[in-house]
Amino acid sequence: MADKAKGQAAAQSMLIVAMAVWGLNVAAVKALTAFFDASTLAALRMVVAFLALSALVIWKRCGLPSLTLREAGAIVVCAVLMVFLNQLLFAEGLARSTATNGALIMALSPLVSALVAAAAFRETLTLARALGVILGFVGVAAVVLSHPGSGLSDAGAGDLMLVAAVVSFAAGGAIVQQLSGRMHPLTISWAIYLVGAVMLTLHASVDAPNLEVDALFPGWWPWAFILYSGVLATAASNLVWNGAIARIGVARTAVFLYWVPVFGVAFAALLLGERLTAWHLFGFVAVMGGTFLGTRPAKSTATSS
């Protein structure tokens, strides 16, 4: 019993570290948009992530089982949603917006994931969850529409791209949940990132076919950020995440996602000098409150025997 408690405490401590890594990753990708165009940045990050995941697959000895045509198709769809579209929208959105806004919008991830799962698996939409949806999107709307100037500014368009990235990733996650009964989660991730990295590389070669060496290697520290983003923020942190689910369960693990915007906003202010406004505070409180309501499990009615 004591060993189990120690294992759970260790998993929770590692989760806090992983959330800090994910929070810093938003600021890192925002900084990288000054050196790479969105398609090249997305391709480079995901190729590095795929190589890191390949090393983990070899280390964990997770083989790739024979796939049915339907399962192979599901992996391709997941790759399009969770890697290709998600990473392009994420990079394009951060290029137009700020890391602070990106961190706040990423806080919608557990809420959107819960909604997609409810729709895919026909779960009941409770009053608390419905209120959470409204509150969360009010918070995002406050951040998106707070930009000065009339109409939808470039920054506002970037925020909407970040929202679309969250939705795209959540939609793919529902398919992953269906695949997880047959395949190891690490193997699923490896296959998805393989297909997604190939797609992004092909897209980057068409979108920016005349890239020179100086454009691909603008300096040592941009590449240090790419390695950080691909190896630590994608491969290692996802391994910690999967391990935590195995130890403490998915419901308790999901709660730690609330730390990502906390770290993300803090790193954006400290490292990038981004200014925080009252709208950011309002958006933060609304998104966090909405996410709490929207992801809280429904109370079961006890029956006496």
Side-chain angles (χ1 to χ4, degrees), residues 1 17 61 69 86 88 106 148 159 164 177 189 201 204 240 259:
M1 197 70 178
V17 174
R61 297 179 180 178
L69 186 61
N86 173 264
L88 282 179
M106 290 299 110
D159 291 339
Q177 184 170 336
S189 297
T201 301
V240 170
W259 283 97

Side-chain angles (χ1 to χ4, degrees), residues 27 38 73 97 100 199 248 252 304-305:
S97 186
T100 299
M199 289 180 174
I248 65 177
R252 292 173 64 187
S304 56
S305 57

Side-chain angles (χ1 to χ4, degrees), residues 153-175:
S153 67
D154 194 41
D159 291 339
L160 294 179
M161 289 180 179
L162 292 170
V163 173
V166 170
V167 174
S168 176
F169 191 85
I175 303 175

Side-chain angles (χ1 to χ4, degrees), residues 26-257:
V26 178
V29 175
K30 172 60 180 176
L32 286 170
T33 59
F35 295 90
F36 303 96
D37 67 88
S39 58
T40 302
L41 176 58
L44 290 174
R45 289 178 57 242
M46 291 305 101
V47 168
V48 170
F50 165 71
L51 294 175
L53 283 170
S54 298
L56 289 174
V57 166
I58 295 172
W59 175 43
K60 290 284 187 177
R61 297 179 180 178
C62 299
L64 184 65
S66 58
L67 300 175
T68 65
L69 186 61
R70 184 175 181 179
E71 289 169 339
I75 286 177
V76 172
V77 172
C78 286
V80 172
L81 293 172
M82 303 181 74
V83 179
F84 182 74
L85 288 178
N86 173 264
Q87 291 302 319
L88 282 179
L89 289 167
F90 184 56
E92 290 278 9
L94 281 179
R96 291 168 170 79
S97 186
T98 65
T100 299
N101 287 14
L104 292 175
I105 292 169
M106 290 299 110
L108 284 174
S109 294
L111 173 58
V112 174
S113 296
L115 285 176
V116 170
F121 304 113
R122 298 180 181 178
E123 297 178 8
T124 303
L125 184 63
T126 63
L127 178 61
R129 185 166 292 180
L131 290 174
V133 172
I134 295 171
L135 187 58
F137 281 99
V138 164
V140 170
V143 173
V144 172
L145 299 177
S146 65
H147 299 294
S150 58
L152 184 63
S153 67
D154 194 41
D159 291 339
L160 294 179
M161 289 180 179
L162 292 170
V163 173
V166 170
V167 174
S168 176
F169 191 85
I175 303 175
V176 168
Q177 184 170 336
Q178 295 177 324
L179 288 172
S180 60
R182 171 165 163 74
M183 299 170 61
H184 192 283
L186 184 56
T187 305
I188 295 174
S189 297
W190 179 85
I192 290 172
Y193 276 90
L194 167 62
V195 178
V198 170
M199 289 180 174
L200 286 170
T201 301
L202 292 175
H203 176 78
S205 65
V206 173
D207 192 46
N210 297 320
L211 281 178
E212 299 178 355
V213 175
D214 291 342
L216 289 175
F217 298 94
W220 68 269
W221 76 262
W223 264 93
F225 274 175
I226 286 179
L227 292 174
Y228 166 85
S229 182
V231 177
L232 293 181
T234 300
S237 292
N238 275 290
L239 185 63
V240 170
W241 180 264
N242 293 334
I245 289 176
R247 284 184 177 272
I248 65 177
V250 66
R252 292 173 64 187
T253 301
V255 174
F256 283 83
L257 283 171

